[in-house]
Structures are given as structure tokens and as C-alpha cells.
Amino acid sequence: MFTGLVETLGKVITIKPIDSGIQFTIETEWENPDLKIGDSIAINGACMTVTEFSDLGNVFNFYASFKSLELTNLSRLGEGSPVNLERAMALGQRFGGHMVQGHVDGMAKVVSRKQIESEVEEFWVAIPKELQRYFVKKGSVTLDGISLTVVDVKDGNIQLILIPETMEKTNANSWKKDQWLNVEVDVLAKYIENYLEQRS
């Protein structure tokens, strides 16, 4: 379980095809982050497993299966790509953001990006048709692992306003038109939908 509050940015330093998937090596600014093999970590919002790490913990490997690559934007990463990183939430930790599972529901495409005031950016993002029913104004969404508030919903697109703090500490600063982002809808919306379907 995650919160959608990105802890740090990482950088892809190697990509190695292996049986049934790809092994990625990520370099981070973390020092001794209490990682161990088998830990869950959100990479651009996709829950992955640490398979190897350096003594300082600032370089680690994870493996993505072909299925994970098909469902996420991990297949579009190259050497040098910035990635958002969040470790799994610890029991008793203060809960910010919103409830994030790390289970990517699909990919959304950036439609536009515009600076609307000093260092504040407006994004419109196109949501896949099969996920549009989960979005409401002032609702929550996770894009590339970032917990964000939906400002507006229009014609299958959502509006987002990102403050300097978010732009500085996540890969949102590198988002551009037509870029694909991992999207996880608010899990509460899915539970409500399932409940109502069972009641009908």
C-alpha cells in the first residue's frame, strides 16, 4: 500500500532484457533507505519488487514482466529517464495523499501543458474510455505514482493544477504533450461500483 506522495526521484541507468521481461537498474538520491530484497516499491506508480541493491541502497534493481510492461509506461523508459519512487507505507506511518495500491489501471496521455502563473502548471490529460466513469471534480487520481486532485472533468479529459513543490520533486517537470502516464483510479470508486453492481 502506498500514499501517492513521491519520496524521491530516481534515474534509470541500465535496462537489460532477460527471460520473460526486463531488468531495470535505478539510481536514487537515497542513502541507507532501509531497503531489502523483496521489498515493494512504487516505480511511476507501479508496484514492483526490489531484487538487488547496493550497500548504500541508492542503486537497486527491479524486474518487470512482459505483462507489466504491456500495462504500464515502464516499457517506454530509456537510460536516463526520471522515475517517481515511493516505498511501501509502514504500519503507523502518517497517511497523506490517498489510498494507492500500486496496481496500474491503464495509461493516460498528456493533452496539454501550460504555465498559468509563476511556476504553477496546468495539465489536461486524456483518460482511457473504460476508466472515465471513475473521475469526478475534486476527486483523487494517481498519475505516475503522484497523488493528485482532479480540478475539472471535460470530454474524457481531466484538468490538473500542479504546484512548484510537485513539479520540483517528481517527474511531472518532464511531462510533455502526448506523453503516456500510468494511471490508477481511486480504489474507493471501484469498491463503490462493485457494491452497487452486487445490489442491483
Side-chain angles (χ1 to χ4, degrees):
M1 188 66 68
F2 305 93
T3 68
L5 300 182
V6 173
E7 292 185 84
T8 191
L9 276 170
K11 181 174 69 174
V12 177
I13 54 176
T14 64
I15 299 173
K16 179 182 178 183
I18 57 178
D19 291 342
S20 72
I22 292 178
Q23 177 181 279
F24 294 86
T25 301
I26 305 293
E27 182 180 42
T28 80
E29 296 180 357
W30 276 326
E31 291 184 8
N32 299 312
D34 193 30
L35 283 178
K36 59 182 182 295
I37 293 173
D39 279 354
S40 294
I41 189 167
I43 316 287
N44 278 359
C47 182
M48 294 289 148
T49 301
V50 174
T51 58
E52 188 178 355
F53 58 90
S54 67
D55 291 340
L56 290 178
N58 65 322
V59 175
F60 69 90
N61 293 344
F62 75 92
Y63 160 81
S65 67
F66 287 135
K67 187 64 175 178
S68 295
L69 295 169
E70 177 186 342
L71 295 174
T72 71
N73 64 8
L74 298 179
S75 63
R76 292 172 165 80
L77 297 177
E79 292 184 3
S81 293
V83 290
N84 295 324
L85 303 176
E86 182 189 354
R87 291 168 294 181
M89 187 173 62
L91 188 65
Q93 179 179 334
R94 180 175 293 174
F95 189 86
H98 73 282
M99 191 180 297
V100 176
Q101 295 181 300
H103 300 161
V104 174
D105 293 304
M107 287 186 284
K109 183 183 281 190
V110 177
V111 174
S112 65
R113 171 180 176 175
K114 181 175 68 174
Q115 184 172 319
I116 57 175
E117 56 183 88
S118 178
E119 300 183 63
V120 176
E121 302 271 354
E122 176 197 63
F123 291 86
W124 281 92
V125 176
I127 300 299
K129 186 174 182 179
E130 66 273 15
L131 300 178
Q132 291 174 10
R133 64 186 183 275
Y134 297 115
F135 289 84
V136 296
K137 291 182 182 180
K138 300 183 181 179
S140 296
V141 63
T142 307
L143 292 176
D144 265 10
I146 311 168
S147 174
L148 297 167
T149 298
V150 176
V151 177
D152 198 3
V153 181
K154 186 182 299 182
D155 300 326
N157 298 331
I158 59 172
Q159 181 191 32
L160 307 161
I161 304 295
L162 273 60
I163 62 174
E165 178 79 3
T166 304
M167 299 299 295
E168 179 184 348
K169 294 191 174 181
T170 72
N171 72 355
N173 199 42
S174 67
W175 293 356
K176 56 186 180 297
K177 187 177 184 297
D178 294 330
Q179 182 166 336
W180 290 99
L181 308 175
N182 291 330
V183 55
E184 179 184 332
V185 303
D186 190 344
V187 67
L188 295 179
K190 290 190 283 187
Y191 277 124
I192 292 169
E193 177 184 58
N194 183 69
Y195 173 77
L196 293 175
E197 288 177 350
Q198 297 300 321
R199 295 271 295 180
S200 61

